[in-house]
Amino acid sequence: MSDCIFCKIIAGEIPSKKLYEDDDVLAFWDISPQAPVHFLVVPKKHIAGPAEVTETDDKLIGKLIRIGAQLAAENNTGDAFRVIFNNGAKAGQEVFHIHLHILGGKDKPWPI
Ligand code: 5GP
Ligand code: ZN
């Protein structure tokens, strides 16, 4: 999607600090971390948010969680990390390309 910041990151048009990439998924460090470990996992397919996920995407969204948990374990979260999807501006969603936040590296990594 042409005016989507995460599509531009996926296309390499905007730089990011990547943790992981395959044909379906990209993970990169959040530009404004809210915890010692804070990264995002996004599908390469543009889906605006959780409310736009369809049955076709079930496997892809499961993969986001699996990759996020794997990367959390590899990046010093121990077994304690938070997994968040925001849906809608009122819930704090700022980028309308679905993304999984992984937050960790401290106890109770709120507030996001
Ligand atoms: P949301 O509030 O939509 O759930 O989360 C969007 C997240 O994307 C925020 O945590 C924000 O810091 C992060 N973010 C926004 N723009 C960029 C960017 O250009 N690069 C990176 N790495 N993160 C971004
Ligand atoms: Zn997008």
Side-chain angles (χ1 to χ4, degrees):
M1 199 181 168
S2 59
D3 63 347
C4 171
I5 191 165
F6 286 177
C7 282
K8 287 182 179 164
I9 286 176
I10 290 160
E13 293 165 13
I14 293 176
S16 67
K17 287 189 178 175
K18 293 180 191 175
L19 286 112
Y20 175 86
E21 183 168 18
D22 66 24
D23 288 347
D24 308 312
V25 168
L26 178 67
F28 53 95
W29 294 102
D30 197 291
I31 203 167
S32 177
Q34 303 298 310
V37 177
H38 183 185
F39 61 86
L40 305 172
V41 190
V42 306
K44 291 191 171 179
K45 175 183 177 183
H46 181 91
I47 301 168
E52 279 72 31
V53 171
T54 64
E55 203 172 340
T56 317
D57 306 315
D58 284 356
K59 201 171 169 186
L60 180 60
I61 301 304
K63 183 170 178 178
L64 291 191
I65 295 169
R66 179 175 63 78
I67 297 292
Q70 194 176 304
L71 292 171
E74 292 168 6
N75 285 277
N76 306 315
T77 62
D79 62 354
F81 56 91
R82 200 167 179 214
V83 180
I84 298 164
F85 286 106
N86 289 324
N87 190 87
K90 287 181 182 170
Q93 187 179 3
E94 293 175 356
V95 178
F96 289 83
H97 179 127
I98 194 169
H99 50 279
L100 184 73
H101 292 260
I102 300 279
L103 293 117
K106 66 172 185 179
D107 290 348
K108 297 189 177 171
W110 315 147
I112 280 187

